[in-house]
Structure formats: C-alpha cells, structure tokens
Amino acid sequence: MKTKELSRTLGQLDDAAVECDGFVRLATTVLQHLGISHRVVRGSVTGPNGRIPYHFWIEADGLICDYRARMWLGRDALHGVFAPSPFWKYTGEEAQIPPLSESLFLILAGQPLHHVIGQQA
C-alpha cells in the first residue's frame, strides 16, 4: 500500500476521541481486515521539542503511521503517515494487538468498521 492510500485509510480515524493506544487498536483492526501487512509498535518518541516515554504507533512498508504524537509534543510533531526522519527517533518493540469487535470499533471510532473499510473499494 502506498503512502497516499495508507494515509487516506488511516486518516478516516484521526477524529476518533482516543489516545495512541486506542488509535492503533482502531488502525490495526482496519489494516487486518484489509489484509495490509503492518506491525504495532510500543516504545518512545523523541524529537526536537520533547519526548514521549510510552507511545504506540504503526509501521507499514517502512513508513511510520502516527496520528497521536501531537497530543503530547505539539503541532510541530510529525503527524499521519511518513518516512522516518533523522529529527524524530522512534524506538520500540512490536506489540501484539488483536482486532477489535465491530461493536467496540463503533464505540471508539464513532463510525462503523464497514464504513471505513468500504471507503477503500
């Protein structure tokens, strides 16, 4: 999946009222249902304007998918789907996160799973 497609897919979840752990739960559910290879990572993020000691993000095709670093590091933090940057250090290990049920996905995302997945057709 290319950066633009991955960004369009995960961007649909950006407005969900969840922090990083909730976001990766939503995102991995969508990506697993679409058969897109990825890994959930738990670790830390360090950038020019601070550090998040405990954070979750997704990695896919050599890209970082992080829609929640700005919650803690402000507007200058990288956001969305992007290539690794020499100014932002993501260090972590893979975390096993099972997909959410459709009802829990709806509660967390504020929209049904089939709506998000259906946008990819």
Side-chain angles (χ1 to χ4, degrees), residues 90-114:
Y90 280 77
T91 306
E93 59 188 30
E94 188 167 3
Q96 299 300 317
I97 305 285
L100 296 168
S101 67
E102 290 190 31
S103 57
L104 191 51
F105 185 94
L106 174 61
I107 291 167
L108 293 176
Q111 59 183 320
L113 177 60
H114 69 268

Side-chain angles (χ1 to χ4, degrees), residues 45-114:
V45 179
T46 305
N49 56 333
R51 181 173 186 266
I52 308 171
Y54 191 75
H55 191 58
F56 286 89
W57 65 92
I58 287 180
E59 295 178 354
D61 292 332
L63 300 169
I64 295 171
C65 310
D66 189 351
Y67 284 80
R68 293 300 183 260
R70 286 185 176 171
M71 291 180 85
W72 306 108
L73 298 175
R75 304 249 354 123
D76 291 334
L78 296 175
H79 183 83
V81 178
F82 47 87
S85 163
F87 303 106
W88 292 89
K89 184 176 180 182
Y90 280 77
T91 306
E93 59 188 30
E94 188 167 3
Q96 299 300 317
I97 305 285
L100 296 168
S101 67
E102 290 190 31
S103 57
L104 191 51
F105 185 94
L106 174 61
I107 291 167
L108 293 176
Q111 59 183 320
L113 177 60
H114 69 268

